[in-house]
Amino acid sequence: MKTIISKINAEDIDLNEIKKQAELLKSGKTVIFPTETVYGLGANALDECAVKKIYEAKGRPSDNPLIVHIYDEKEVYDLAKDVNEKAKLIMKEFWPGPITIILNKKSIVPDTTSGGLDTVAIRMPSHKIAREIIKQAGIPIAAPSANISGRPSPTKAKHVYEEMDGRVDGMILGGDSNFGVESTVLDLTEDVPMILRPGSVTKEALEEIIGNVQLDPSLRNKEDNKKAKAPGMKYTHYSPNAQVYIVSGNDINVMNRINELVKINKEKGLKTGVMCLDKNKDKYSGEIIKLGNTLEEVASNLFDALIEMDKRKIDIIYSEEFPTYGVGQAIMNRLLKSAGYKIIQA
Ligand code: TXA
Ligand code: MG
């Protein structure tokens, strides 16, 4: 398939290019566009045939539901029923932005979009290009992350182009995403709201607005993970070609253990990568990729680092461990998944 590419600057949007891509969406085709979290692979959320093309382009299992992206809060009431007070507070506080809410769905949302569930995931992105294309298309847009199923989600124009050119009808290349991990997914259909996927809107920030929030307990370890309430959290995900290990322990032990492993791997002819905070970069041997200094920077660089490791043909990756408060929760969730829960105690 020939992909129609538009390069658009988010700070100086070329409306004609947006309209060209919006026409594709209106006619039931697939278009990739940037959002503030990761690039999304969009199609008309209310058109079953269009939505099927998303699953095909990604090679995604059809029981994994999609997030419906909207331009205006009013659209929530067309798509969902039982829109409760907590949902209204979340929308007011965090939209447009990187949080997705799960509500009971109305019948207008096809089963293909909701993966056969009675609920629907809705998000209003804040990225200027994402907002403009949804507005111009005039329809709600189903959009999962724009990666082949199982791979790390792309946050850079270059990465999404390399992975998806030829697999979709249209593609907007519009720079880098700023948050780097996907939106927080919050289930609001039960009395106590539950985070099904941690993201950059943190549990702490949510609790300030709506009180007690639970984290889906099945996200804790590999065994429980099979029971995850968000179907997408059950699958292997964020996997580069290399084997990923998280190395846990105090700084000195982690450093010694990683350097020892790098040496052993080298003797076996294996190429080893290390992902670490900027301040630790000189402590390690092997191919270093710096993740930044703050948790926010780590979140924004993580998927790029995994993709970069593949480009460098790395066989084994060791990553430092990160704290699980704030956005650290999302970082460790993605890192554990990409490592298949393999942790080395240093
Ligand atoms: O930041 C994001 O959310 C990005 C950008 C493109 O907006 N999108 C994204 O979509 O990450 P996707 O499809 O890669 O992840 C959606 C997650 C999956 O884990 C899916 O199982 C879950 O949300 N989900 C969607 N609808 C759901 C529902 N009705 N109930 C439970 N989980 C749901
Ligand atoms: Mg995804």
Side-chain angles (χ1 to χ4, degrees):
M1 158 188 319
K2 171 102 182 88
T3 302
I4 299 170
I5 310 267
S6 300
K7 287 194 179 142
I8 298 180
N9 175 355
E11 296 313 317
D12 180 20
I13 291 183
D14 180 341
L15 209 51
N16 283 329
E17 284 298 313
I18 293 267
K19 283 184 177 160
K20 188 166 85 187
Q21 298 284 346
E23 279 308 316
L24 294 173
L25 288 172
K26 281 198 235 177
S27 63
K29 302 208 158 118
T30 50
V31 174
I32 286 177
F33 58 88
T35 84
E36 70 278 19
T37 55
V38 301
Y39 272 77
L41 196 174
N44 183 350
L46 306 181
D47 173 351
E48 222 158 328
C49 284
V51 168
K52 280 191 181 137
K53 292 179 190 163
I54 296 180
Y55 287 97
E56 271 163 37
K58 278 181 65 87
R60 177 175 174 122
S62 60
D63 65 345
N64 190 4
L66 306 173
I67 296 173
V68 179
H69 295 63
I70 58 170
Y71 176 73
D72 193 304
E73 210 174 289
K74 287 197 271 267
E75 294 170 71
V76 168
Y77 300 87
D78 302 330
L79 302 164
K81 51 189 181 190
D82 315 322
V83 183
N84 50 48
E85 281 312 306
K86 286 179 183 163
K88 288 178 190 163
L89 285 169
I90 296 287
M91 293 192 265
K92 186 159 174 276
E93 183 70 24
F94 297 105
W95 275 5
I99 182 158
T100 296
I101 57 174
I102 311 269
L103 294 165
N104 290 324
K105 84 173 182 80
K106 284 192 173 164
S107 59
I108 187 177
V109 179
D111 282 345
T112 325
T113 302
S114 68
L117 298 174
D118 296 331
T119 53
V120 58
I122 311 175
R123 150 162 144 82
M124 186 199 284
S126 61
H127 193 288
K128 287 180 184 157
I129 295 175
R131 279 188 69 66
E132 197 59 45
I133 188 157
I134 301 167
K135 182 179 172 194
Q136 294 300 333
I139 38 177
I141 304 294
S145 49
N147 50 287
I148 292 172
S149 204
R151 300 264 313 149
S153 309
T155 62
K156 279 192 158 65
K158 178 172 74 136
H159 292 159
V160 77
Y161 174 76
E162 286 166 0
E163 180 147 316
M164 302 305 279
D165 183 38
R167 301 181 77 99
V168 288
D169 299 294
M171 188 183 297
I172 299 178
L173 300 177
D176 299 345
S177 304
N178 17 12
F179 292 104
V181 289
E182 306 91 335
S183 63
T184 305
V185 175
L186 183 70
D187 185 351
L188 288 165
T189 62
E190 308 281 344
D191 284 344
V192 180
M194 191 188 272
I195 296 174
L196 307 188
R197 179 177 71 181
S200 48
V201 176
T202 62
K203 182 170 185 287
E204 293 88 338
L206 290 168
E207 287 189 326
E208 270 184 39
I209 308 297
I210 53 168
N212 194 18
V213 171
Q214 270 181 283
L215 180 70
D216 184 349
S218 60
L219 300 183
R220 277 178 312 212
N221 59 49
K222 193 176 183 176
E223 270 318 297
D224 290 344
N225 203 246
K226 292 178 194 133
K227 292 179 263 165
K229 213 172 163 196
M233 301 304 279
K234 288 186 255 190
Y235 299 110
T236 312
H237 210 331
Y238 312 114
S239 306
N241 297 326
Q243 288 285 319
V244 182
Y245 294 86
I246 300 167
V247 184
S248 166
N250 73 40
D251 282 7
I252 306 271
N253 290 352
V254 167
M255 179 180 79
N256 289 338
R257 190 66 197 276
I258 289 184
N259 286 333
E260 188 183 293
L261 289 164
V262 171
K263 193 160 162 257
I264 296 171
N265 292 340
K266 197 170 176 195
E267 284 161 10
K268 292 187 196 154
L270 298 171
K271 239 177 132 178
T272 309
V274 179
M275 301 200 302
C276 62
L277 291 176
D278 288 12
K279 68 178 171 71
N280 295 336
K281 69 177 186 340
D282 297 326
K283 294 184 183 164
Y284 301 108
S285 50
E287 296 252 355
I288 313 293
I289 293 189
K290 297 178 294 173
L291 293 176
N293 275 318
T294 63
L295 287 179
E296 283 70 23
E297 285 168 4
V298 174
S300 140
N301 292 326
L302 182 64
F303 293 147
D304 289 341
L306 293 170
I307 294 170
E308 185 58 35
M309 288 288 186
D310 273 353
K311 290 192 172 178
R312 296 194 198 173
K313 305 250 180 318
I314 300 290
D315 300 298
I316 299 184
I317 302 169
Y318 299 111
S319 174
E320 291 181 341
E321 189 181 38
F322 299 95
T324 51
Y325 55 77
V327 72
Q329 189 89 62
I331 295 169
M332 283 310 292
N333 169 263
R334 307 306 193 278
L335 204 50
L336 278 163
K337 292 218 62 118
S338 88
Y341 293 87
K342 296 191 296 299
I343 300 181
I344 296 173
Q345 288 298 337

